[in-house]
Amino acid sequence: MYKTFQGVPFSILELALVNEESDVKTSLQNSVELAQQAEKWGYNRFWLAEHHNMPGVASSATSILMGFIAANTKHIRVGSGGVMLPNHAPLIVAEQFGTLETLYPNRIDLGIGRAPGTDQATAYALRRRMANEGETFPEMLAELRSYFEDNDAALVRAIPGSGCDIPIWLLGSSDYSARLSANLGLPFSFASHFAPQLLHDALELYRYQFQPSEQLDEPYVMVAVNIIAADTDEEARYLATSLQQQFIHLAQGISAKFQPPTKKEFSAYEKALFNKSLDPLTTIIGSKETVKGKIERLLEQTNSNELIISSPIYDHDARLRSFEILAELFD
């Protein structure tokens, strides 16, 4: 049901951004409208990212929001991009996603990450204890996967969840998840929309070390990118200033809602703050023709099987238009 650009499907990564002059309810309603339009335009997946204690992000209860999106769409795949597994008991995650898969069969993806998705104080509030994720994450992942097995003899079972065939993805911004997903034969999504530095190394490592599994015969890479498209390059650059302000605030530890675009000139220091995370290869800004050329360059350099796109744009109609422009490129 999805369409492609040069054989590559496009998906959407949604954070349910809360605007400076808006509220959470409006943000969630906008997410549903975007998912409905994305389904009509031919996008493959609609994933929601888990973040906590951020005034500008409303996707903290990821599985609940997934159910809301799935209930208001018909066929687009809905997933987590991702669930931060160390924040949760694996059994709870299995039950939540087993419930979603039961209600919306063959539409649910489970993307897993190992970062807290928040600051250290909030991570403690979520977990009640702190642990070394590098030491515990593989064990938690193995436990989670075991709950989806159809094993009547198991002492603890996920109900719903047991026997559900839910695709599991690993997400990462370094080579750690690249290695683990390769060893387990799982699809891998790299977060180059905020951590582009290790993109090429991680993809090369994943492909080189990949071991076939029951879930996947060959490596499958989905690259996360920022794309801000508009009818002109000038308009797109203006809209992108909201994203640039967001990364300035993140770098400075400022807690704020998503800011409207600005025409002010950023200082050299401010530019250095956002340029570190917003690489021109994976933060694509411009008109349809400009974006098309940059996407072709990205696909040539990464050989991605799929792109998952974040479009942090303040005005809801302008954000819909950005995704519509991308859909106009579909074959």
Side-chain angles (χ1 to χ4, degrees):
M1 295 182 180
Y2 63 83
K3 299 177 183 179
T4 66
F5 172 78
Q6 298 181 358
V8 176
F10 286 5
S11 294
I12 293 176
L13 178 62
E14 171 72 337
L15 277 72
L17 295 174
V18 184
N19 287 346
E20 176 64 33
E21 299 297 330
S22 188
D23 54 36
V24 169
K25 185 174 182 179
T26 300
S27 173
L28 300 182
Q29 291 171 335
N30 288 345
S31 294
V32 170
E33 183 180 0
L34 174 59
Q36 291 170 334
Q37 292 299 319
E39 185 170 69
K40 294 177 183 177
W41 290 327
Y43 286 86
N44 185 24
R45 311 174 201 275
F46 193 91
W47 279 14
L48 297 135
E50 177 186 344
H51 291 282
H52 299 278
N53 195 29
M54 295 183 179
V57 178
S59 56
S60 56
T62 312
S63 60
I64 294 176
L65 189 50
M66 283 176 58
F68 183 47
I69 297 294
N72 287 279
T73 52
K74 296 178 180 178
H75 58 77
I76 194 170
R77 296 195 66 86
V78 181
S80 57
V83 162
M84 301 296 109
L85 188 55
N87 294 342
H88 310 276
L91 177 61
I92 295 295
V93 176
E95 290 172 340
Q96 290 174 347
F97 278 76
T99 301
L100 288 168
E101 175 64 20
T102 300
L103 292 171
Y104 312 103
N106 302 314
R107 292 184 58 199
I108 302 301
D109 295 324
L110 175 50
I112 296 290
R114 68 185 184 98
T118 187
D119 58 85
Q120 289 298 307
T122 309
Y124 179 79
L126 286 163
R127 307 177 193 183
R128 310 308 307 169
R129 60 183 178 84
M130 300 302 292
N132 186 329
E133 289 86 356
E135 295 176 358
T136 61
F137 182 74
E139 289 77 11
M140 294 184 73
L141 178 61
E143 180 184 347
L144 171 62
R145 298 180 74 191
S146 73
Y147 291 130
F148 292 123
E149 297 173 0
D150 191 6
N151 183 4
D152 292 340
L155 183 63
V156 178
R157 298 175 62 204
I159 303 173
S162 178
C164 287
D165 184 17
I166 302 173
I168 293 178
W169 293 65
L170 291 193
L171 284 57
S173 57
S174 68
D175 63 0
Y176 180 92
S177 291
R179 294 178 188 275
L180 185 57
S181 54
N183 293 336
L184 296 175
L186 298 176
F188 176 56
S189 181
F190 190 85
S192 57
H193 62 304
F194 68 82
Q197 294 85 358
L198 294 176
L199 170 62
H200 299 292
D201 290 343
L203 297 191
E204 182 179 359
L205 182 65
Y206 168 71
R207 289 172 174 137
Y208 179 73
Q209 295 190 358
F210 182 83
Q211 300 293 321
S213 67
E214 290 185 7
Q215 180 172 335
L216 201 60
D217 293 330
E218 298 178 346
Y220 193 96
V221 166
M222 180 162 65
V223 173
V225 296
N226 299 303
I227 301 182
I228 296 177
D231 291 320
T232 66
D233 288 342
E234 182 181 10
E235 182 186 0
R237 286 192 294 267
Y238 172 67
L239 295 175
T241 59
S242 294
L243 173 62
Q244 291 162 346
Q245 291 177 81
Q246 183 184 44
F247 274 84
I248 291 171
H249 289 161
L250 287 171
Q252 295 178 330
I254 297 173
S255 182
K257 288 185 175 182
F258 195 58
Q259 298 298 302
T262 179
K263 292 186 177 180
K264 80 157 196 171
E265 182 69 25
F266 293 116
S267 68
Y269 171 70
E270 290 172 324
K271 290 178 181 178
L273 291 180
F274 64 71
N275 283 337
K276 181 180 178 181
S277 298
L278 304 179
D279 186 276
L281 180 68
T282 54
T283 295
I284 295 172
I285 300 165
S287 63
K288 181 164 68 173
E289 286 306 310
T290 299
V291 165
K292 179 176 182 290
K294 292 182 177 181
I295 292 174
E296 289 173 338
R297 176 171 171 259
L298 172 68
L299 294 178
E300 182 180 348
Q301 291 197 21
T302 63
N303 196 28
S304 304
N305 300 99
E306 188 167 346
L307 294 184
I308 187 162
I309 297 157
S310 174
S311 287
I313 295 174
Y314 188 85
D315 180 79
H316 179 56
D317 289 335
R319 190 162 73 121
L320 290 176
R321 177 59 184 149
S322 180
F323 281 111
E324 184 181 31
I325 289 171
L326 292 178
E328 290 171 359
L329 299 176
F330 291 159
D331 300 328

